[in-house]
Amino acid sequence: MTSSLIRGRPRRAKAHIRVRVAHAVLGAVVGVGWLVLSVRTVVAEDPVPAAPAGTVVSAAAPQQGGTSTADLVLPLLAGVAALVLAGYGYLRRTRRARTRTTPGTVSAAPPAPTAADTERQARTALVTADDCVRTSREELSFVQRRFGGPDTEVFAHALRAAETELSAACAIWRRYEQGIPQDPVARRQALVGVIGRCAEAGRRLDSGAAELDLLRDLEGPGLGEALETAEGRFRELTGRTLTAQDTLTALHERYAPSVLWPVTGYVEQAKDRLVFATARLNEARQTADRDDGERAARHLRAAEGAVSQAEILIGGVERLATDLRQAADLLPATLTGAEAELAAARRGGRALTRGELHARLTHADTVLAAVREERTTGPYDPLDALHRITRTVRRLENGRSGVVSAAAHLVARSSVAAAEEFIAVHRAAVGPESRARLAEAIRDLSADHADEADTAARAARERAEQDVRTHGTPYTDTPSAAPGLAGAVLGGILLAEDPDAGPPASYGGPETRSRRHSPNPP
């Protein structure tokens, strides 16, 4: 403490000396000025003549109309003194501002981002890139239906490249969630890698957005054909929606109630999207008749997004019915194959102790017996039955026969599809965790790791549902909200950037997906 005070004294002493010197210099300047004024006044005055009698004249009064030297010197000295004081004050303030270290000082350089800032940026980048890929895939389906493959291959190639970058970003993020790597610097570099991969995915899509707009020409003659394409898909979906409702009724009568869980509410949501699409298609026609091409293009793109999501929802019901039928057909052979695996394990487990093997064989016998009883007495859930059998056989660590492996693959494929459908139609509420788990499930399924794919897909669906519950449904408290608006925002069809729910999402990356009108042709 003492040394600190001692070190501080010379600095303050020097500062006081500088102040005193400045004051002395200023006093000297003023004193010299007054002396000069007095001398020049005495020298410059003429001798005072004797005044005539009867005339009273003041010797000190200047002549009328004359200018003395004092009148010129005094303002000059006052101005010089003011300049000296102003300059000295400016120098002191400048020096103090440069050397001050108090909290009030604002640094010119922005603060370095923290680890939490980088993680938030990576989360946002991952969600945005995934949304851009999904939206681009949806619009491209309409473009391909109208123009065919050769004219749209450049856009499909950009989309595949973006999907590759996004998959790599999801893999990095997934390892980051698992604590890999552990070093703080390496973890931050991993997040930077996620951000970079997502940026590259967006750049791939942004690069083709303008060319796709020129191909579609939605603000010109191309709008009419695009409307016909969208209306054609809309009419097809209307018929499929009625059929899907009948399909759900049949599934409910044939199987256990649990089979409908993956598609609960899908038909109702599909109808909601179609109501929204109907309104937007009509508005697109009306605005096109008024020669408002920009607004017509926006309405058309919103309608296309709604039709795409209605197709995903109805397709989910149709896909589930197919999976259940295949599972029911495969179940008898799977039971037989599982019995063979249990017999092989009884002859000698490869990696289990006798006690572990006995416990797992007992559990497997119980599971197989329960599945047989459910299948006989009904109703039952074929996919759940296959899931239990394949997991039980896997726990024996004795390998699996071909039919049991095929059953595991069917279960995993159905779980991945269910997670994909749910995230696609609720993407405005879904965070990066479920998207990364879904990407992991897709990779595992491609590598024939059925059990891992099934586990990851179920976790992705569960987390996505939690995100939706936390997020809630937008625009439900707005009386003037258009029919289907809440679902369109929740599904990411509209980007919710404005009070009217904002522009529709379109093919492109972060820089172009919310564009409001097409560029003019060159």
Side-chain angles (χ1 to χ4, degrees), residues 32-50:
V32 170
W34 282 109
L35 289 174
V36 172
L37 175 62
S38 302
V39 171
R40 292 184 62 87
T41 302
V42 172
V43 174
E45 285 182 344
D46 293 331
V48 181

Side-chain angles (χ1 to χ4, degrees), residues 278-405:
T278 300
R280 291 307 174 106
L281 287 172
N282 291 335
E283 290 172 350
R285 285 286 185 187
Q286 294 170 5
T287 51
D289 293 340
R290 295 194 299 268
D291 294 329
D292 189 351
E294 176 183 339
R295 188 174 296 274
R298 290 183 62 185
H299 289 316
L300 173 64
R301 277 193 161 115
E304 289 175 343
V307 169
S308 293
Q309 292 200 6
E311 190 167 17
I312 292 173
L313 292 163
I314 297 303
V317 175
E318 297 169 345
R319 188 263 318 157
L320 178 61
T322 301
D323 291 346
L324 288 171
R325 184 176 61 253
Q326 292 177 350
D329 293 341
L330 190 60
L331 184 56
T334 305
L335 283 169
T336 302
E339 290 286 1
E341 295 294 335
L342 265 64
R346 287 189 175 92
R347 290 193 295 269
R350 298 177 182 176
L352 299 174
T353 63
R354 184 176 297 276
E356 291 175 334
L357 179 61
H358 176 74
R360 296 187 183 186
L361 285 172
T362 301
H363 174 73
D365 288 333
T366 302
V367 170
L368 295 184
V371 169
R372 288 195 185 90
E373 183 178 359
E374 292 171 3
R375 181 170 176 266
T376 302
T377 60
Y380 73 108
D381 184 342
L383 283 170
D384 179 67
L386 290 183
H387 176 255
R388 286 183 288 160
I389 294 172
T390 56
R391 287 303 175 95
T392 298
V393 172
R394 183 189 182 190
R395 292 183 71 245
L396 297 176
E397 299 182 11
N398 199 42
R400 288 190 301 210
S401 64
V403 64
V404 178
S405 296

Side-chain angles (χ1 to χ4, degrees), residues 5-305:
L5 292 174
I6 293 174
R7 286 195 300 269
R9 286 173 183 170
R11 184 178 301 174
R12 291 195 296 269
K14 291 179 180 179
H16 288 305
I17 292 173
R18 286 196 295 267
V19 173
R20 294 193 186 101
V21 170
H23 289 170
V25 171
L26 180 59
V29 171
V30 175
V32 170
W34 282 109
L35 289 174
V36 172
L37 175 62
S38 302
V39 171
R40 292 184 62 87
T41 302
V42 172
V43 174
E45 285 182 344
D46 293 331
V48 181
T55 304
V56 180
V57 180
S58 173
Q63 297 179 352
Q64 298 293 328
T67 303
S68 68
T69 307
D71 294 335
L72 297 176
V73 174
L74 185 57
L76 179 61
L77 290 174
V80 171
L83 289 175
V84 170
L85 288 173
Y88 180 73
Y90 173 78
L91 291 175
R92 288 195 65 187
R93 288 192 300 271
T94 303
R95 187 179 296 111
R96 189 179 301 148
R98 290 176 180 175
T99 59
R100 179 167 26 183
T101 59
T102 59
T105 304
V106 178
S107 175
T114 64
D117 294 334
T118 306
E119 181 174 328
R120 282 192 294 269
Q121 186 179 358
R123 291 173 62 90
T124 301
L126 192 63
V127 170
T128 301
D130 189 58
D131 284 349
C132 290
V133 166
R134 293 178 183 278
T135 302
S136 299
R137 188 186 299 133
E138 291 171 2
E139 181 173 0
L140 185 59
S141 67
F142 286 89
V143 180
Q144 290 173 329
R145 180 163 177 165
R146 176 185 169 192
F147 294 98
D151 292 336
T152 60
E153 176 56 32
V154 61
F155 312 115
H157 176 75
L159 177 59
R160 290 192 295 269
E163 290 171 340
T164 300
E165 296 291 341
L166 177 61
S167 177
C170 288
I172 299 173
W173 175 266
R174 183 69 188 125
R175 289 194 296 271
Y176 176 86
E177 287 183 315
Q178 295 170 334
I180 303 171
Q182 297 181 351
D183 178 69
V185 176
R187 286 180 66 77
R188 180 171 292 192
Q189 288 300 318
L191 294 175
V192 172
V194 172
I195 297 170
R197 291 281 191 172
C198 292
E200 178 61 18
R203 188 193 67 79
R204 296 272 189 170
L205 296 173
D206 282 329
S207 64
E211 187 177 350
L212 183 136
D213 286 345
L214 293 177
L215 176 66
R216 301 198 73 184
D217 192 18
L218 295 182
E219 296 184 26
L223 178 63
E225 295 184 16
L227 276 169
E228 292 178 0
T229 301
E231 290 168 346
R233 288 181 64 174
F234 174 86
R235 288 190 294 269
E236 293 174 3
L237 273 173
T238 302
R240 289 171 59 187
T241 301
L242 298 175
T243 304
Q245 185 65 64
D246 297 336
T247 300
L248 287 178
T249 302
L251 294 177
H252 179 71
E253 294 175 352
R254 182 175 182 182
Y255 300 111
S258 61
V259 301
L260 300 181
W261 166 78
V263 295
T264 300
Y266 274 22
V267 172
E268 290 74 14
Q269 293 180 52
K271 292 178 180 178
D272 184 72
R273 300 294 197 277
L274 291 177
V275 168
F276 179 82
T278 300
R280 291 307 174 106
L281 287 172
N282 291 335
E283 290 172 350
R285 285 286 185 187
Q286 294 170 5
T287 51
D289 293 340
R290 295 194 299 268
D291 294 329
D292 189 351
E294 176 183 339
R295 188 174 296 274
R298 290 183 62 185
H299 289 316
L300 173 64
R301 277 193 161 115
E304 289 175 343

